[in-house]
């Protein structure tokens, strides 16, 4: 058996069924990556990978082609090679609707879950292709039904002022979608409970996935079997990680502290799940999110951007909603994207889908 054949067999045993499906589907599209003479059945080539170490030599053309594809970096065989079934929680919101729109443009199948369950922009060609479902994500049954057939999920549920803040009426102005919180809409319920329901449901789904369990048995760190989950957190959730951040955190008003407690609880829970090898968590920490229709925040955007530019450690540059939405789509598609994404990372990875 040629060395290339042996290498392909070893990887084939460890790979998942879905991984090989992606390879078969992508084989013809990736012909240009390996240019070789089809008339020469056994060319003497050396394929290098990772620090230019030889992987195999003198392998038949077809085996060489398969093996080279298997050894490509994960980004080359990412989830972007096939359409995803994506569930977006909070799909009618300011961020969620922008994410839905871009997912459809990328060819993905989108189901949006929200309390309203209606298309916020009926004239949008992209949003008219979304499956709009009315549901409350604090209800675990609603979440289970929504995740059952999904390949990936986005949690974009949130509110700036909950019912206990005394400022809830301001949400109609600052939410971007005109959402008014219900009588039970606390930070704990809207952020923590809904996100925990999503995480718990994905973990149960993954525990029944044989490919995931096989990877755990062989202690593989492959991201191809981890369920992609993007969570919209907040830049302020990272205050304890930056100079003077804990001081600012302690001076924050009570409503903001409770807002951040909920966000940080979800981030912590996501990391726990990721350590189990079940979820590929992508945590977005945007500062002020805006576009030119957000007149409520336009006046303070220069203040935030100036503070960030001069190096104030606990103030991040503002982010456009289009940038955040594109970054979330890239986070779902890119197997190599994981963990916390601040504005710099968002601006970088969003270019992948533009």
């Amino acid at each position: 058996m040629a060395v290339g054949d042996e290498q392909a067999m070893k990887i084939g045993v460890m790979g998942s069924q879905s991984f090989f499906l992606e390879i078969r589907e992508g084989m013809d599209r990736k012909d240009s990556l390996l240019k070789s003479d089809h008339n020469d059945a056994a060319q003497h080539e050396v394929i290098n990978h990772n620090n230019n170490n030889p992987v195999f030599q003198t392998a038949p053309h077809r085996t060489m082609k398969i093996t080279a594809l298997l050894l490509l970096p994960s980004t080359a065989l990412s989830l972007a090679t096939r359409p995803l079934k994506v569930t977006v929680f909070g799909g009618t919101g300011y961020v969620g609707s922008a994410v839905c729109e871009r997912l459809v443009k990328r060819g993905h199948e989108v189901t949006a879950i929200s309390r309203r369950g209606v298309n916020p922009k009926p004239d949008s060609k992209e949003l008219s292709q979304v499956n709009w479902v009315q549901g409350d994500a604090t209800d675990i049954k609603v979440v289970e039904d929504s995740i059952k057939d999904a390949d990936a999920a986005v949690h974009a549920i949130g509110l700036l002022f909950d019912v206990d803040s005394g400022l809830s009426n301001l949400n109609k102005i600052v939410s971007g979608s005109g959402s008014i919180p219900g009588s039970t809409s606390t930070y704990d319920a809207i952020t923590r409970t809904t996100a925990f329901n999503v995480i718990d449901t994905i973990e149960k789904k993954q525990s029944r996935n044989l490919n995931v369990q096989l990877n755990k048995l062989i202690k593989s760190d492959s991201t191809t079997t981890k369920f992609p989950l993007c969570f919209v957190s907040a830049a302020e959730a990272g205050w304890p990680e930056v100079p003077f951040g804990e001081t600012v955190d302690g001076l924050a008003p009570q409503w903001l502290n409770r807002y951040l407690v909920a966000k940080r609880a979800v981030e912590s829970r996501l990391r726990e799940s990721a350590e189990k090898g079940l979820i590929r968590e992508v945590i977005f920490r945007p500062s002020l999110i805006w576009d030119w229709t957000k007149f409520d925040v336009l006046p303070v955007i220069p203040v935030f951007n100036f503070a960030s530019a001069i190096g104030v450690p606990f103030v991040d540059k503002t982010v456009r909603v289009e940038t955040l939405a594109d970054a979330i789509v890239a986070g779902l598609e890119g197997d190599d994207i994981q963990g916390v994404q601040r504005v710099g990372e968002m601006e970088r990875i969003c270019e992948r889908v533009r």
Side-chain angles (χ1 to χ4, degrees):
M1 179 183 295
V3 179
D5 293 329
E6 182 180 358
Q7 182 75 9
M9 181 173 293
K10 288 180 180 178
I11 298 176
V13 171
M14 293 187 293
S16 67
Q17 182 178 1
S18 60
F19 185 59
F20 277 102
L21 178 60
E22 289 180 27
I23 293 170
R24 289 197 299 269
E25 291 174 345
M27 187 72 71
D28 293 333
R29 293 195 299 271
K30 297 181 184 295
D31 280 347
S32 61
L33 296 176
L34 295 172
K35 293 182 179 179
S36 55
D37 185 0
H38 285 271
N39 295 323
D40 187 353
Q43 293 185 55
H44 293 268
E45 294 183 14
V46 176
I47 302 297
N48 294 333
H49 183 69
N50 291 338
N51 301 321
N52 295 320
N53 293 323
V55 175
F56 62 88
Q57 293 178 312
T58 320
H61 171 76
R62 187 64 176 172
T63 303
M64 290 173 64
K65 186 173 183 180
I66 294 173
T67 309
L69 285 170
L70 285 167
L71 296 177
L72 285 172
S74 60
T75 50
L77 293 172
S78 69
L79 293 173
T81 60
R82 62 182 176 88
L84 298 172
K85 293 182 179 180
V86 184
T87 301
V88 179
F89 294 93
T92 57
Y94 181 54
V95 173
S97 60
V99 173
C100 289
E101 186 176 26
R102 281 154 178 77
L103 284 169
V104 170
K105 285 182 179 179
R106 295 284 291 176
H108 301 300
E109 183 180 329
V110 183
T111 296
I113 311 297
S114 67
R115 290 181 301 153
R116 285 173 283 184
V118 295
N119 185 351
K121 299 177 183 177
D123 295 332
S124 168
K125 180 180 71 173
E126 287 80 21
L127 293 185
S128 66
Q129 300 175 56
V130 174
N131 177 29
W132 299 98
V133 177
Q134 184 178 21
D136 185 347
T138 61
D139 183 344
I140 188 66
K141 184 65 168 62
V142 169
V143 175
E144 289 173 347
D145 290 343
S146 306
I147 291 291
K148 181 173 55 177
D149 298 320
D151 302 310
V154 176
H155 186 284
I157 303 173
L159 75 170
L160 185 56
F161 302 116
D162 74 352
V163 291
D164 296 331
S165 67
L167 303 169
S168 59
N169 287 334
L170 293 178
N171 282 294
K172 191 170 181 63
I173 301 172
V174 302
S175 71
S177 63
S179 177
I180 296 294
S183 60
T184 60
S185 296
T186 63
Y187 296 125
D188 188 71
I190 296 301
T191 300
R192 189 193 64 81
T193 300
T194 59
F196 276 32
N197 282 348
V198 173
I199 296 168
D200 290 344
T201 300
I202 293 172
E203 286 185 340
K204 291 177 183 177
K205 177 185 174 77
Q206 291 289 81
S207 69
R208 297 189 292 268
N209 186 325
L210 294 179
N211 293 328
V212 174
Q213 298 310 312
L214 175 61
N215 270 339
K216 289 178 70 176
L217 284 173
I218 63 175
K219 297 182 179 180
S220 169
D221 195 34
S222 171
T223 58
T224 58
T225 56
K226 294 179 182 178
F227 192 102
L229 174 58
C230 291
F231 172 65
V232 182
S233 186
E236 296 77 11
W239 274 349
E241 302 166 11
V242 301
F244 309 110
E246 290 188 356
T247 301
V248 176
D249 209 31
L251 297 174
Q254 187 178 20
W255 65 265
L256 181 55
N257 279 325
R258 289 187 290 105
Y259 171 85
L260 295 176
V261 164
K263 293 287 191 183
R264 290 166 183 161
V266 176
E267 289 192 10
S268 177
R269 180 71 178 83
L270 280 167
R271 293 188 189 97
E272 290 176 4
S273 187
E275 289 174 0
K276 297 175 185 176
L278 300 174
I279 286 177
R280 177 170 61 82
E281 90 293 8
V282 190
I283 299 168
F284 293 89
R285 287 184 181 169
S287 180
L288 282 180
I289 308 167
W290 66 283
D291 63 16
W292 291 110
T293 68
K294 287 278 289 173
F295 300 114
D296 57 303
V297 300
L298 289 178
V300 298
I301 286 173
V303 178
F304 273 70
N305 289 346
F306 177 74
S308 175
I310 65 174
V312 177
F314 49 84
V315 179
D316 276 12
K317 186 173 72 170
T318 61
V319 59
R320 290 189 58 122
V321 68
E322 300 91 345
T323 298
L324 174 57
D326 283 337
I328 289 172
V329 174
L332 292 175
E333 293 182 352
D335 291 335
D336 60 326
I337 300 174
Q338 188 166 2
V340 172
Q341 312 294 313
R342 294 180 65 178
V343 62
E345 287 85 10
M346 295 179 217
E347 291 176 340
R348 177 176 55 82
I349 66 174
C350 76
E351 295 300 326
R352 296 189 183 189
V353 299
R354 290 183 171 176

